[in-house]
């Protein structure tokens, strides 16, 4: 096989560690390059399917430098200020909601908010994939949402039900907002340099209405809890109790199946491809029909030249 020889035991490129949702709080991941070409990663422990891993520190192993440790900064599912959440008393801006206030849920009626949190997040150095997602009015279906909705990239939107992308998904599920950007009217807000994020949690994970479309309340899963400060972790544990297992949410289980980013993107791509093929077939059919009409018109004129003369005279 073509390529360059690699020194035994040699580690190429950088090393970084990621926050993990297991008992061990970190997984070390070594990125491997051969002749300047990235070929993959080596991990020191198995990765959990469906779990998002966020880079937390980097270091140059070859140079012998230690990683420059930094705090976990992954943004959990959040709403932007001004998002209108349906409550028994009518829609209210998410930033006005407080612990004890009732919100309408799709499955269990009015339910009280048990915990809220807000924070300012700089975005100057954020990758495009980590930028806020804007869902334009009507992007999910007729009047869905009713007004533009801005959410964090990981925020899950209900699809496959209530008219929300039902032609694409055949059953109800939650899809991360950043996985929907191939849909017209849904995009990353690349120009955003900062934003305030607000989220709220109920006793259980709920389907709620935001700006007229269905999305989620906060699911306090391991990645979210690990991203909180020690004081915040203690607060949510006091409210919701400890998770039954290390990979469970404090207020789980999820209200709907939670699709991965890759699964959503593949389904959308499949739908767009099939839609394109159907459109191509329709255009071909239109072309055949138009050609047949032209052919029949020509034969008609040949069979009745008098009508052709009369038509010219009338004109």
């Amino acid at each position: 096989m073509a390529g360059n020889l690699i020194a035994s035991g040699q580690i190429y490129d950088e090393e970084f560690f990621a926050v993990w949702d297991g008992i061990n709080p970190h997984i070390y991941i070594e990125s491997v390059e051969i002749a300047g070409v990235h070929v993959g990663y080596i991990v020191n422990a198995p990765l959990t399917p469906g779990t998002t891993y966020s880079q937390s520190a980097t270091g140059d192993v070859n140079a012998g430098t230690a990683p420059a440790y930094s705090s976990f900064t992954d943004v959990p599912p959040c709403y932007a200020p001004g998002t209108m959440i349906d409550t028994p008393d009518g829609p209210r801006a998410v930033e006005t909601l407080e612990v004890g206030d009732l919100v309408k849920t799709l499955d269990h009626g009015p339910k009280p908010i048990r915990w809220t949190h807000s924070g300012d997040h700089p975005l100057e150095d954020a990758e495009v994939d980590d930028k806020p997602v804007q869902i334009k009015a009507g992007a999910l279906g007729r009047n869905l949402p009713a007004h533009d909705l801005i959410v964090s990239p990981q925020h899950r939107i209900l699809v496959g039900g209530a008219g929300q992308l039902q032609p694409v998904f055949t059953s109800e599920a939650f899809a991360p907002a950043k996985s929907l950007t191939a849909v017209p009217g849904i995009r990353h807000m690349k120009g955003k340099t900062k934003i305030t994020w607000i989220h709220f949690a109920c006793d259980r994970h709920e389907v709620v209405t935001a700006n007229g479309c269905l999305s989620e309340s906060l699911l306090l899963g391991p990645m979210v809890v690990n991203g909180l400060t020690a004081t915040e972790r203690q607060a949510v544990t006091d409210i919701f109790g400890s998770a039954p297992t290390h990979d469970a949410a404090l207020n789980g289980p999820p209200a709907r199946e939670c699709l991965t980013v890759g699964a959503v993107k593949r389904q959308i791509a499949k739908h767009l491809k099939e839609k394109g093929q159907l459109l191509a077939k329709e255009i071909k059919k239109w072309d055949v029909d138009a050609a047949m009409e032209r052919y029949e018109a020509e034969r008609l004129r040949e069979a009745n030249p008098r009508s052709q003369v009369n038509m010219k005279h009338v004109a």
Side-chain angles (χ1 to χ4, degrees):
M1 184 168 61
N4 298 328
L5 292 175
I6 306 171
S8 176
Q10 180 66 54
I11 298 173
Y12 289 78
D13 202 23
E14 82 278 5
E15 179 188 74
F16 61 88
F17 77 80
V19 173
W20 187 29
D21 69 344
I23 298 173
N24 181 354
H26 303 111
I27 283 183
Y28 285 87
I29 305 174
E30 295 160 0
S31 178
V32 180
E33 285 191 4
I34 300 176
V37 178
H38 178 262
V39 296
Y41 294 97
I42 300 174
V43 299
N44 72 330
L47 302 180
T48 305
T51 297
T52 299
Y53 294 84
S54 177
Q55 181 174 330
S56 189
T58 62
D60 187 340
V61 177
N62 290 330
T65 59
Y69 295 102
S70 59
S71 60
F72 176 70
T73 57
D74 195 21
V75 177
C78 307
Y79 294 105
T83 302
M84 302 303 290
I85 306 297
D86 278 11
T87 78
D89 298 321
R92 286 180 55 186
V94 66
E95 65 269 26
T96 69
L97 296 175
E98 299 177 354
V99 172
D101 289 343
L102 297 177
V103 293
K104 283 186 176 181
T105 71
L106 181 64
D107 302 322
H108 305 107
K111 287 296 176 182
I113 292 174
R114 297 296 308 282
W115 185 71
T116 66
H117 187 269
S118 65
D120 297 327
H121 290 262
L123 299 170
E124 294 94 338
D125 299 325
E127 298 291 335
V128 171
D129 203 45
D130 297 324
K131 292 277 190 173
V133 175
Q134 181 189 58
I135 303 173
K136 297 288 288 183
L140 300 174
R142 185 177 178 83
N143 206 37
L144 297 168
H147 307 284
D148 294 359
L149 176 67
I150 298 173
V151 294
S152 58
Q154 296 287 4
H155 197 109
R156 300 181 186 97
I157 304 298
L158 186 78
V159 296
Q164 297 188 183
L165 296 183
Q166 281 190 265
V168 184
F169 299 89
T170 57
S171 60
E172 288 188 1
F174 274 131
K178 69 178 183 179
S179 67
L180 302 173
T181 53
V183 175
I186 302 178
R187 67 179 183 90
H188 283 286
M189 303 180 75
K190 299 178 183 178
K192 274 281 187 183
T193 58
K194 61 180 179 179
I195 195 166
T196 299
W197 287 127
I198 303 165
H199 48 252
F200 62 90
C202 300
D203 280 318
R204 66 179 81 188
H205 192 220
E206 300 284 5
V207 183
V208 298
T209 303
N211 283 10
C213 75
L214 297 175
S215 63
E216 65 170 338
S217 65
L218 183 62
L219 179 65
L220 289 164
M223 294 298 289
V224 172
V225 175
N226 285 342
L228 301 175
T229 65
T231 301
E232 291 167 342
R233 282 197 299 273
Q234 187 60 56
V236 294
T237 302
D238 289 344
I239 295 170
F240 298 96
S242 300
T245 60
H246 76 272
D247 58 349
L250 300 187
N251 62 342
R256 296 292 186 277
E257 177 187 6
C258 296
L259 302 176
T260 64
V261 171
V264 173
K265 288 185 174 181
R266 286 191 294 273
Q267 182 61 29
I268 292 173
K270 178 182 177 182
H271 172 76
L272 293 176
K273 182 179 179 181
E274 291 174 348
K275 182 179 179 182
Q277 289 174 339
L278 290 173
L279 182 58
K281 289 179 181 178
E282 285 297 312
I283 293 173
K284 185 176 181 180
K285 182 177 182 297
W286 298 338
D287 291 341
V288 170
D289 291 344
M292 184 59 70
E293 289 173 0
R294 289 194 298 270
Y295 175 80
E296 291 174 350
E298 288 293 335
R299 300 293 80 76
L300 181 61
R301 284 196 293 271
E302 290 174 358
N304 191 1
R306 182 183 297 275
S307 64
Q308 185 177 1
V309 171
N310 290 339
M311 286 175 65
K312 289 182 179 179
H313 179 73
V314 171

